Amino acid sequence: MITPQSICNHELIGLYAVVVGSRNKTQEGMCGFIVDETKNTFSLQTGNGIKCLEKQYMLLRVTLPDSVNVVIDCSCLSVSPTRRVTMRVR
């Protein structure tokens, strides 16, 4: 189960996300479902197609399956998703 405390160790694909802060101001307010993730980027399915967003310097508000909103500093997610899922949080 995904919780706000363990969000960094879970798969984010399929979750609804809104960019709440970014170094690239044109990305702020962009919203949609996360459809792909690499070490450095998210692919977001928006109303205008799929947008590729750089993780570094971005704040993302993600809605969990139980309708809880969590704001994530995406620079802490700059690890390969497959490696991040198996990491232990200290």
Side-chain angles (χ1 to χ4, degrees):
M1 181 170 161
I2 302 175
T3 64
Q5 295 78 18
S6 67
I7 185 105
C8 291
N9 290 81
H10 285 278
E11 182 68 44
L12 301 179
I13 294 175
L15 297 179
Y16 185 77
V18 178
V19 179
V20 293
S22 177
R23 184 168 65 172
N24 182 349
K25 298 301 178 190
T26 62
Q27 293 177 345
E28 288 185 5
M30 199 176 288
C31 58
F33 288 93
I34 299 173
V35 293
D36 194 22
E37 179 182 5
T38 66
K39 178 181 176 185
N40 296 313
T41 64
F42 282 118
S43 293
L44 202 65
Q45 177 69 52
T46 68
N48 295 327
I50 297 176
K51 305 294 181 182
C52 189
L53 308 172
E54 184 180 9
K55 287 182 182 178
Q56 194 172 16
Y57 309 116
M58 184 171 68
L59 292 175
L60 198 65
R61 185 176 65 228
V62 177
T63 304
L64 301 181
D66 57 355
S67 301
V68 175
N69 288 321
V70 180
V71 177
I72 305 170
D73 179 3
C74 293
S75 60
C76 73
L77 300 176
S78 292
V79 178
S80 173
T82 55
R83 185 164 180 245
R84 188 182 73 233
V85 171
T86 61
M87 288 175 37
R88 294 183 71 191
V89 176
R90 293 183 182 202

